[in-house]
Amino acid sequence: MTMLESIRRKLARDVRTAIDKPAEFRADVEYTIEGVKRGTISPRDVLIPALSTLATLVFVFVLLIPIYWVLMIALQGDGATLYSTDSAGLIPQDFSPEAFVWVVGDLFIPGAIVRIAVPFTDVVYYFEWPRIVFLDASNYVDTTSDFPRYFWNSLYIGVATVVIAMSLIVPASYAFSRREFAGRMKLLYGYILFTQIGGGLGIAALIALYTIFSSTGLTNNKLVLAVYYAAMAVPFNTWLLKTYMDSIPVSYEEAAIMDGASPFRVAWEIVLPLAKPGLATIFIFIFLTGWMEFIVAQLVLRPENYTLPVGLFSLVDTYTVPWGRFSAFALVYASPIVFVYMFAQRYIESGLSFGGVSG
């Protein structure tokens, strides 16, 4: 089973678990209530976990109050503002989904005609489907935002950043972890020192980089920006993945070599599957580098290639800020990261712990 197949199966299992979870929770509650009635379960054993869970929920709610406040402002439409207590409250009086409709815009599948010709014959089949509309924004707002265009620009840069960075990080991490060569650790420390710790050098490099971009006509190029993000992400994430690979026993590779596996098969079928938590962790970190970065994108991109952070900033006018739309834009912008983190949570936690592999 390949690594991609393994990830696909785990994602499918996660989806099934998420669907079955409410029914399992209901069954557990019914079993506990029935056990208390019969006397097989002590009420004290139920009360303590229930109070602990309640306290945890209260703590989480307090942590989420800022996000809840942003959500309430977004649901109050254009009239909401951060400068008035009228917009603040756990349950505001007026709700309006217009801000979210303005951000998302029209949701539809465009109509198309597909032509399929049968080889060596004159037979041609045409398949046509109409335009399918899920949400017509014109029924709710006069105009819509440029969020879809910003979204695709951010997605393009994020995916390109991940592909470029991972193609360098994975072999480099494996080499630093498993191969011996002169100056191996000094090279790795220097790698980190000059790219992550030297803040002043980083600013100088940024200014020099912008000068090079301008003089060579590479500004407003999404792929070049992705290359820059990948270059920034490679050192730290190489260190991170190398540290995780160090925890994988070498005996696994030695056993595979004794069975006649080639070095490529050892790396692809032994090391990488065992390094999935580390790979998931650096995947999130690298994707966030391209998805969240604002300063360089604001500096080099023009409006047609704006990413989501730059598009969010463009909502700020000189004299006014549409806080309702701004809040809705920010929430929709952050939502993909939440979903990705929820699916990759188990790998990220184990990857950050740098735990060992049970033999």
Side-chain angles (χ1 to χ4, degrees), residues 209-219:
L209 194 67
Y210 178 72
T211 304
I212 294 173
F213 281 0
S214 300
S215 60
T216 55
L218 292 177
T219 56

Side-chain angles (χ1 to χ4, degrees), residues 115-119 121 123-125:
R115 177 180 179 276
I116 299 177
V118 178
T121 67
V123 178
V124 179
Y125 293 99

